[in-house]
């Protein structure tokens, strides 16, 4: 069999495989979250978020809304050197992000079913 024929069969099978994958995976929220930061942020974002009194006061004083908080978590960077990941019950994570050109730090307690924002503060005052 000539090379051009083998290449044609290969590309035909490859195209059919891609079409089948697109058909089966269409509409599914498939993601590739392999880094520790992405897995932690996805885990926190998938839970209901509660606020402590200190966090609620900061949010009110700085006119932040829940969508902004969710985006700060979703697009933030987890500071694992400050985080307490060895705890048995609820781990505490520090997430760094920027909002309106100011550095922010969120302290989040991540339990099995809820995530609680313990503290929010600006770091470059």
């Amino acid at each position: 069999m000539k090379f051009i024929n083998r290449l044609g069969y290969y590309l035909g099978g490859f195209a059919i495989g891609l079409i089948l994958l697109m058909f089966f995976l269409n509409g599914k929220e498939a993601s590739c979250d392999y880094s520790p930061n992405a897995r932690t942020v996805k885990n926190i974002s998938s839970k209901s978020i509660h606020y402590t009194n200190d966090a609620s006061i900061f949010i009110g004083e700085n006119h932040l809304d829940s969508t902004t908080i969710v985006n700060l978590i979703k697009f933030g960077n987890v500071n694992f050197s400050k985080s307490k990941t060895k705890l048995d019950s609820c781990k505490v994570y520090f997430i760094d992000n920027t909002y309106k050109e100011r550095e922010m730090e969120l302290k989040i307690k991540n339990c099995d079913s809820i995530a609680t924002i313990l503290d929010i503060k600006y770091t470059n005052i």
Side-chain angles (χ1 to χ4, degrees):
M1 186 180 294
K2 294 182 180 179
F3 174 74
I4 197 76
N5 290 346
R6 286 186 288 173
L7 182 64
Y9 283 122
Y10 172 76
L11 291 177
F14 188 74
I16 291 171
L18 284 178
I19 291 169
L20 287 174
L21 277 176
M22 287 175 32
F23 177 73
F24 285 118
L25 295 179
N26 189 21
K28 300 207 179 359
E29 294 184 20
S31 63
C32 299
D33 298 327
Y34 294 116
S35 71
N37 187 67
R39 285 183 294 172
T40 303
V41 168
K42 185 176 181 180
N43 186 317
I44 292 170
S45 297
S46 67
K47 300 174 183 174
S48 63
I49 297 176
H50 298 270
Y51 306 97
T52 61
N53 288 335
D54 293 338
S56 296
I57 290 170
F58 182 87
I59 290 169
E61 289 174 351
N62 293 287
H63 308 291
L64 301 174
D65 60 356
S66 60
T67 305
T68 304
I69 300 299
V70 168
N71 285 333
L72 286 171
I73 294 170
K74 187 176 179 181
F75 299 110
N77 295 317
V78 179
N79 188 343
F80 286 103
S81 62
K82 290 175 72 174
S83 299
K84 298 174 183 168
T85 59
K86 302 293 184 199
L87 301 175
D88 290 335
S89 58
C90 299
K91 296 173 178 27
V92 177
Y93 294 101
F94 288 85
I95 298 180
D96 299 326
N97 206 335
T98 303
Y99 180 69
K100 292 187 178 179
E101 299 180 8
R102 294 181 73 183
E103 298 291 324
M104 294 184 76
E105 180 180 78
L106 288 79
K107 183 178 179 182
I108 300 174
K109 182 178 177 183
N110 187 20
C111 297
D112 289 336
S113 60
I114 63 170
T116 305
I117 297 180
L118 301 174
D119 191 25
I120 306 172
K121 63 183 177 181
Y122 289 114
T123 56
N124 60 348
I125 295 177

